[in-house]
Amino acid sequence: MRAQNSDMGLIVKTMARATIPLIGIFGAYVIAHGHITPGGGFQGGATIAGAGVLFLVAFGLSEAKEKINKNFYSVLEGIGGLVFLAAGMLGLGVAFFYNILWHKGPVFNGEAGTLLSAGYLSMMNLAVGLKVYTGLVSALFAIALFRRWKK
Amino acid sequence: MGKMSFIIAFIWSFVLWLVLTAGTKGMLWSAEELIAGSIFASIVAFSTRNIIGEKTTRFLNPVRWLGFVVYAMGPLFWGMVKANLDVAYRVITGKIKPGIVKVPVDLENDAQYTILSNSITLTPGTLTIDACPEEKALYVHWIHVTEEEPKTSEIIAGSFEKWARRLGK
């Protein structure tokens, strides 16, 4: 029965229920603090994608098919890229990727070392994190769906 | 499902955020960290509200948290100390008789099975291989089998089953 459903046993599932939110918030922490602590968009995005993989492995493909929407993930990945580009164009009056938010912006110009500092960097980290998470999860989900072992 | 699971997932993830960001304003948290934390915890909770489980509200009870602390620092820690010494003895003398035994347990829900299985696996010398709620049994790999068909989990897990039943109820 279990082999058909391609999911794990009770203990793995219960632990996954408890740890998936924790992995998600830790990844969000790594992304949000990318400009003040080690880590950043890619690292945090890959961490959250780990939670997605845990979900896929623990609960199986049939459950994941219900929860993972291809178009939604595709759109989010595009939005991540566009936000990154938009942050780069904010200071276009001076130069491409000119950090205008840091020099004279209304937000994200707090004291260095606090959360709301470093100009557009936290926006870019969030965008990269979103893009990496959605990209990795949809790639791995697509690989998991490709199941023609027999010739 | 629904609103309660969202709140549980929110609290669960927000607490981890608070642990990670403690010390941003003296020993406490700055306002921007708290706001960012609640936003991110909301996103995480909204995404995982259907995963975290249906009846997790019972884990909001502070008496149960106290129970977990007492269990981890008392019976579980003491059981691990004893089991480590026992395994050290078996490593030195080589007196082992490994085998897989079926242990009948009287548990009702997933959380109880998980707590008991993890406790058994954490104490060296025993390793839970599978939990079968439909048979009401755990399959345990045991380094030195003294009873091939145990009637209760007493001989393998000591008081762990009683604790797991209470903590996961």
Side-chain angles (χ1 to χ4, degrees), chain A residues 2 10-11 14-15 17-18 20-22 24-26 28-29 32-33 55 59 67 114-116 126, chain B residues 12-13 16-17 20-21 32-33 36 40-41 44 48 50-52 110 113-114 117-118 130-131 133:
Chain A
R2 201 173 279 166
L10 175 145
I11 303 165
T14 315
M15 290 311 284
R17 285 183 205 285
I20 284 174
L22 296 186
I25 198 75
F26 181 70
Y29 166 80
H33 293 73
F55 171 73
F59 291 92
K67 299 257 166 70
T114 59
L115 191 62
L116 299 179
L126 286 172
Chain B
W12 186 226
S13 43
L16 179 64
W17 179 277
L20 288 170
T21 58
E32 56 199 47
E33 294 279 2
F40 285 118
V44 169
T48 60
N50 294 329
I51 299 172
I52 193 157
D110 294 6
Y113 275 100
T114 307
S117 306
N118 282 341
D130 202 3

Side-chain angles (χ1 to χ4, degrees), chain A residues 48-134:
Chain A
I48 305 178
V53 173
L54 177 60
F55 171 73
L56 185 63
V57 170
F59 291 92
L61 201 57
S62 51
E63 184 91 10
K65 269 186 204 161
E66 287 173 21
K67 299 257 166 70
I68 296 178
N69 181 335
K70 177 173 78 77
N71 295 332
F72 180 63
Y73 274 73
S74 190
V75 166
L76 278 187
E77 194 186 352
I79 288 176
L82 287 177
V83 169
F84 187 90
L85 188 63
M89 302 230 281
L90 276 178
L92 207 57
V94 181
F96 191 48
F97 278 101
Y98 178 72
N99 197 344
I100 195 151
L101 284 181
W102 173 244
H103 290 290
K104 43 181 181 264
V107 285
F108 295 122
N109 56 356
E111 193 189 332
T114 59
L115 191 62
L116 299 179
S117 63
Y120 60 28
L121 272 187
S122 36
M123 266 164 78
M124 284 182 164
N125 276 328
L126 286 172
V128 171
L130 186 68
K131 192 167 168 58
V132 167
Y133 163 65
T134 50

Side-chain angles (χ1 to χ4, degrees), chain B residues 4-5 10 14 21 40 42 56 72 88 101-102 115 120 126 132 140-141 143 155 160-161 164 166 168:
Chain B
M4 271 333 275
S5 342
F10 178 83
F14 191 61
T21 58
F40 285 118
S42 304
T56 29
V101 293
K102 178 180 174 181
I115 294 169
I120 287 176
T126 47
C132 297
V140 176
H141 183 271
I143 196 169
I155 189 156
F160 290 171
E161 188 185 338
R166 195 183 302 157

Side-chain angles (χ1 to χ4, degrees), chain B residues 58-59 64 68 71 105-120 138 153 157 159-169:
Chain B
R58 62 190 198 275
F59 290 109
R64 205 183 292 268
F68 272 106
Y71 173 60
V105 289
D106 180 27
L107 302 174
E108 289 132 27
N109 60 46
D110 294 6
Q112 292 173 334
Y113 275 100
T114 307
I115 294 169
L116 181 59
S117 306
N118 282 341
S119 304
I120 287 176
L138 300 179
S153 69
S159 64
F160 290 171
E161 188 185 338
K162 204 178 69 198
W163 276 94
R165 205 180 300 139
R166 195 183 302 157
L167 292 174
K169 194 155 49 187

Side-chain angles (χ1 to χ4, degrees), chain B residues 127-146:
Chain B
L127 175 74
T128 310
I129 292 168
D130 202 3
C132 297
E134 56 271 20
E135 294 175 47
K136 286 211 165 254
L138 300 179
Y139 288 89
V140 176
H141 183 271
W142 199 358
I143 196 169
H144 189 78
V145 179
T146 50

